[in-house]
Amino acid sequence: MPKPSLRDTILDAGLKAMFRTGYNGTSVRDVTTAAGAPQGSFTNHFRSKEAFASEVLDRYFAHTRGLVADALDDASLRPRARLHRYLDIITGVLEADGFSRGCLIGDLSLEASGSSELLRTRLAAIFAEWRAPFAACITKAQKAGEIASDFEAEELADFLLASWQGAILRMKVERSVAPLERFKKIAFQTVFREPR
């Protein structure tokens, strides 16, 4: 009888470890120890630490896509309210972690994109995919007259993701909801304002 695969267990352990100590601070040994797996299991499943981190990112982004869909596909809300709902959902997730853990996509963008072309390329693709549902929602809001059309929807979606990542970084430093709430207040009074 073949042994059960430890791939998912190793990926789960890697996700937790990278949140705790970052890409550079997480060793293969840390991951396999946390997973209760021999180091050989890691090399059986992943050709390198970079390739492993890319798969950890994919796992994290799959969860993030689900949160995006929960908010932006909610037909019971107007499009502008859906954007606000997404930010509220993420605020709740971050609050549950005591505002000490941020977004792995943002964290690895800062830490690994300068030293790993593989991860930089994967992160760029994630941001492009992540932007699409926000741009679609913003387009709907602009057509419904809920958000001013001073900027293209794609530009506003980029602004939303980039600025929200910055607010999350400040939140981690301050261990407070204040940067997130400040972002929401200013963004919806200025950038995502209703047409005048």
Side-chain angles (χ1 to χ4, degrees):
M1 177 181 237
K3 289 183 179 180
S5 173
L6 294 172
R7 180 183 185 80
D8 286 339
T9 304
I10 293 169
L11 284 167
D12 288 341
L15 178 60
K16 290 175 186 166
M18 286 187 192
F19 259 129
R20 215 174 29 258
T21 57
Y23 173 73
N24 292 321
T26 299
S27 70
V28 170
R29 181 175 301 219
D30 295 334
V31 173
T32 55
T33 298
Q39 276 193 281
S41 291
F42 185 94
T43 55
N44 285 341
H45 294 296
F46 310 101
R47 68 181 187 276
S48 67
K49 182 181 168 186
E50 277 182 306
F52 171 71
S54 182
E55 289 195 41
V56 167
L57 270 171
D58 290 343
R59 181 168 283 226
Y60 178 79
F61 187 49
H63 175 72
T64 302
R65 273 195 304 265
L67 297 177
V68 170
D70 287 348
L72 301 188
D73 295 345
D74 185 350
S76 71
L77 297 174
R78 305 279 300 157
R80 186 172 184 265
R82 293 176 200 178
L83 295 170
H84 210 288
R85 175 74 183 126
Y86 172 77
L87 300 178
D88 289 343
I89 288 171
I90 299 303
T91 300
V93 169
L94 296 170
E95 183 176 23
D97 289 325
F99 302 114
S100 62
R101 188 181 90 172
C103 170
L104 189 64
I105 297 164
D107 291 348
L108 291 186
S109 293
L110 285 172
E111 183 184 10
S113 62
S115 59
S116 168
E117 184 61 18
L118 174 74
L119 292 178
R120 187 200 67 73
T121 301
R122 182 64 195 120
L123 286 160
I126 285 172
F127 275 111
E129 184 181 338
W130 202 4
R131 179 184 66 187
F134 287 98
C137 188
I138 291 167
T139 296
K140 289 176 186 171
Q142 288 176 325
K143 287 181 179 176
E146 296 178 347
I147 292 178
S149 295
D150 299 348
F151 296 96
E152 296 293 324
E154 290 78 12
E155 291 176 314
L156 290 176
D158 270 335
F159 169 83
L160 174 69
L161 289 174
S163 300
W164 184 241
Q165 287 295 320
I168 289 172
L169 289 174
R170 286 288 300 275
M171 173 217 73
K172 284 172 59 177
V173 170
E174 296 178 19
R175 295 285 197 268
S176 164
V177 73
L180 305 179
E181 294 301 332
R182 187 167 45 247
F183 169 80
K184 287 188 268 189
K185 177 182 173 186
I186 293 170
F188 280 87
Q189 287 180 3
T190 59
V191 179
F192 300 105
R193 65 175 170 77
E194 295 180 33
R196 293 184 179 133

